[in-house]
Amino acid sequence: MYRYDDFDRQLVLERTEQFRGQVARRLSGELTEDQFRPLRLMNGVYLQLHAYMLRVAVPYGTLSGAQLRQLGYIARKYDKGYGHFTTRQNIQYNWPKLAELPDALLDLARVEMHAIQTSGNCIRNTTTDQYAGAAADEIEDPRPYCELIRQWSTFHPEFTYLPRKFKIAVTGAPNDRAAVRVHDIGLRMHQNAEGETGFEVIVGGGLGRTPFVGKTIRDFIGKNDLFSYLEATLRVYNRFGRRDNKYKARIKILVHEIGAEEMARLVEEEWAQIKDGSLKVSDAEIAQYIAQFAPPSFETLPDDDAEFARRKVENPGFAAWVRSNVVAHKQPGYAIANVSLKPIGGIPGDATADQMERVADLADQYSFGDVRVTHEQNLVLPHVKKADLFSLWAELSNAGLATANLGYVTDIIACPGLDYCALATARSIPLSQRISERFGDLDRQHHIGELKIKISGCINACGHHHVGHIGILGLDKRGKEFYQITLGGDASENAAIGKIVGAGFSEAEVVDAIEAIVTRYLEIRDAGERFIDTYRRVGTDPFKEVLYGDR
Amino acid sequence: MAIVKHDTVIDNDWITLDAEGDLPAGDVNIIVPLDRWKAEQDSLKGRNGGVGVLLVPGDAPEDIAADLDRLALIAIRFPAYTDGRGYSYARVLRERYGFAGEIRAVGDVLRDQILNMHRCGFDAFDLKDDADTALAKVRAAMAEMTVYYQPTGDGRATAGSLRERRRAGQVG
Ligand code: SF4
C-alpha cells in the first residue's frame, strides 16, 4: 500500500492550513458565500439541501485499517455517527459544521487523507478495480499507475479549470470492474504483440444526460509514455472542449462532435510534441511504485482448506455468503471477501462509525490491514485466508455486515437523491429500500442470480442508472415523483447504455413494475442465463408486454 | 489596477489596441489582438516601439509561433477565472516555442489562480487592486504551496525529481 513520504505530507498540510484561513475569512464575513464557494468546492465541501457536505477522497478506493478507523472517528466526531460511501469510491459526510471542517481535514491529514479535487472542474479521484492486487484474473496490479496518476493530477496547474469535471478509471483485469468505458478516460491494461504490458486508451465515455460508451483512441500506450499521453489528451480537452454550455462541456461531447478519429489525431499531434519530455516515466521510477504495492506476505497454503469446506456444509448461511460475496484470489489458500453495505431495507453505501471501526479491526486481523471501497458502494477485504473466512463471516454477521447479496437484486446502487441532494428531482433512497424489502428473501435472490439495479434521483445519473441491468431514473412530473425504467445497461467490458422501456411509473407502481420484469425474466430465461444475457437475447418486447400489455 | 512582475509592481507602459482604429505614435508600445497582428504584421514589425499580441480563449498560440522573436510581450486574457484555456496557451508558448518575453495574465486574474499561472509560464499579473494589495496578494499566493508534483517549464523542482535526487544521494 502506498505510504506518504514527507513531500506528500507537506502538500496536504499546506492545503489544510490554506483552507483553514479561507474558512476563517468566510466566518468573519470577509468572504461572501459567493466568493467562498469555489474555494470550498476545491476542498470537497458542498452545500446540500440541509447542510454542508464533505466529500473525502479515497484514492483508487484503497484504505488501510487505520484510515478506515479514522473515517469512523470523523463520522462520530463531526457527523451524526455515519458516513456514505459513493459510486466514486469516496466517502461523504452529510452533516459537518463549517467551523469544524478545518479540524476534520486535519484529522484526515493525520492518516494521509484529504478532500482535494473531490469537486470542481478538475481531474477527480482516479478509480480502479476494487480487487486490484488480489484478483485471480488480473494482468497486473493497476494501483502503482493510479498512484502516479494521483500525483500527476493533484493540483495540476494547467488543468484546474477544465471545461467540466474529469474522471479517469483504470482496470488491470480483462473483466472490467471499474466501468472504464463510461469514464472521461478509461485505461484498460493489456499486452501487445511484443508481450509488453500497456494500456488501451478509451475516451469520452460518461453518463449524465447524454450517456456515451467511450471510444478507443489508442489501442496501446506503453507505461513509460502513459503520463505524457494523458497530458496530451487533457490539453486537447482543455483547449477545445466546449465551454458555452455546461451540459455540453464534458469530453464525451467533444469526442461525439468531432469524432473519435479526429480526437485521436489531435491527441497524437499534441503527444508527438511532448512525448520525449519530462513526463516520460522511467522503468526505475515505475519499479519504485510497484514495490510500494508489493503483495503482502502471504503464507504458502494449499488452495483447499478442509475446515472451510466443512463449515460450508454445516452452515447454509455461511455457504450462501461464500457463494455470493467471496471471490477467487490469485494466491492459493486466500480469498477476496466482500462486505455488503446493502442490508435488506437499508440505505445503500451507508456505514455507521461502529461498523467502520469494526471493519477496520477485521481488516487488520484478517486482511493485512487492507480495505477497499467499491464503486458499487460496498467494502472489500481483499486478502483473507480461506481458513479464516468462517470467523470473519461470524464477526461480520454480528455487526450486521454479512448480507449475502453481492451482485444480486438487492445490491442496489442509489444516489443520495432528494433526501440530501439539492439537484434531485425525486427520492432514490426510499425506493431502493422498498425494492430491497420486496426481494429480501435470500433464496429468491440467489434464484434470480446476478441482477444490477441502479437508481438516480435526477438526470445527472450519479446512481449510474444508464448502466444498470435495470436502471431507474427519478423524475418530477407536475410536482409528483415518477420513475423511468431502462433495461440492458451494462458497466462491464461489454458496456452498454440501457434503453428506456416505456412510460414512467408512479412511486406506488414502480416496485410492482420491477417485480413484473423480474418475474418475466424467470419465465423466459434459458438455463444459466443471467438477466442481462436474457435481455440481450430477447430485447425489450417481452418486458414491455408485462409492463404495459396492450397499453 | 496594478501589474506585478518578478516580485515587484511595474509601470504599465503598454497600450492595448482594439481590432481596428488608429495606431499611436511609432515609439509607443502596443498590444494588438491576434487577428490584427495577422493582418497588419508587415507594417507593425517596422515600428520603433514594442509590439505585443493579445490572445483570448479560442485563439491558437501556434499562429504566432513563427513571430515570437518579433514580440516582446504576449498578454493572455481570462474573461472569467474559470476559463482555463490560457494556462495551456502559456505552456505551449514557453515550453514548446521557447518564448522568453513577458507573458502577462489579464482579465479576471485573482489571487487563488496566480500560483498555477506562474507554474504555467506567466510572469506578469494584471490585478484589479492597488499596488500594495496586488503585491501582497501575489506574494501570499506564491508562498502558499511548496510541493509540486508536475514538471512544467517553470524551473521548480518536482517531488519526483527531489525523490530521485535523494535516492541517488543515498546510493552514491
Ligand atoms: S443523480 Fe441527481 S439527485 Fe442523484 S446525487 Fe446526482 S445530482 Fe443528486
Side-chain angles (χ1 to χ4, degrees), chain A residues 415-417 421 423-424 456-458 460-463:
Chain A
C415 78
C421 177
L423 304 171
S456 303
C458 82
N460 287 325
C462 303

Side-chain angles (χ1 to χ4, degrees), chain A residues 48 55 92 165 414-428 455-465 473-474:
Chain A
Q48 296 272 79
R55 181 182 294 154
Q92 293 178 181
K165 59 189 169 185
C415 78
L418 203 50
D419 292 289
Y420 295 98
C421 177
L423 304 171
T425 40
R427 286 171 298 169
S428 39
I455 309 174
S456 303
C458 82
I459 191 68
N460 287 325
C462 303
H464 298 183
H465 67 276
L473 166 61

Side-chain angles (χ1 to χ4, degrees), chain B residues 36-60:
Chain B
R36 187 159 188 182
W37 169 256
K38 286 201 256 186
E40 300 173 28
Q41 56 173 292
D42 289 341
S43 62
L44 292 172
K45 278 175 185 166
R47 289 173 63 84
N48 290 329
V51 181
V53 166
L54 171 71
L55 297 181
V56 300
D59 286 348

Side-chain angles (χ1 to χ4, degrees), chain A residues 2 5-8 10-11 14-15 18 22 25 38-39 150-162 231 235 238-239 243 270 273-274 278-279 285 288-289, chain B residues 59-62 81-85 87-89 91-92 95-97 111-113 116-117 119-120 144-152 159-160 162-164 166-167:
Chain A
Y2 183 76
D5 65 7
D6 45 337
F7 297 110
D8 303 305
Q10 174 79 9
L11 178 137
E14 285 175 356
R15 177 59 156 204
Q18 182 187 44
Q22 291 162 347
R25 282 192 272 154
L39 304 176
R150 181 189 78 79
Q151 295 190 23
W152 164 76
S153 61
T154 297
F155 302 142
H156 197 299
E158 184 180 349
F159 305 135
T160 299
Y161 298 96
L162 295 167
E231 183 133 314
R235 182 169 292 159
N238 190 41
R239 287 186 60 176
R243 291 174 187 264
E270 179 61 37
Q273 305 268 0
I274 61 173
S278 41
L279 274 171
E285 190 169 355
Q288 300 275 353
Y289 284 86
Chain B
D59 286 348
E62 290 80 2
Y81 78 87
T82 47
D83 189 329
R85 282 175 278 192
Y87 295 93
S88 291
Y89 301 163
R91 287 197 70 191
V92 166
E95 296 169 42
R96 182 159 312 159
Y97 300 120
R111 169 191 152 145
D112 291 288
Q113 285 76 47
N116 280 348
M117 289 177 174
R119 297 216 58 215
C120 288
E144 228 151 38
M145 303 294 296
T146 62
V147 179
Y148 315 101
Y149 285 132
Q150 307 77 11
T152 63
L162 293 171
R163 286 169 182 148
E164 197 59 44
R166 193 180 279 173
R167 272 196 296 274

Side-chain angles (χ1 to χ4, degrees), chain A residues 69-112:
Chain A
R69 199 169 293 114
Q70 186 79 341
L71 292 179
Y73 169 80
I74 287 169
R76 190 173 290 122
K77 178 152 183 212
Y78 301 102
D79 202 298
K80 296 183 177 175
Y82 61 94
H84 176 75
F85 290 97
T86 77
T87 55
R88 305 224 60 257
Q89 301 181 313
N90 291 326
I91 182 168
Q92 293 178 181
Y93 295 105
N94 284 310
W95 307 98
K97 294 188 193 64
L98 180 59
E100 295 179 356
L101 279 169
D103 288 339
L105 289 178
L106 189 61
D107 279 334
L108 281 171
R110 292 203 167 98
V111 290
E112 308 181 354

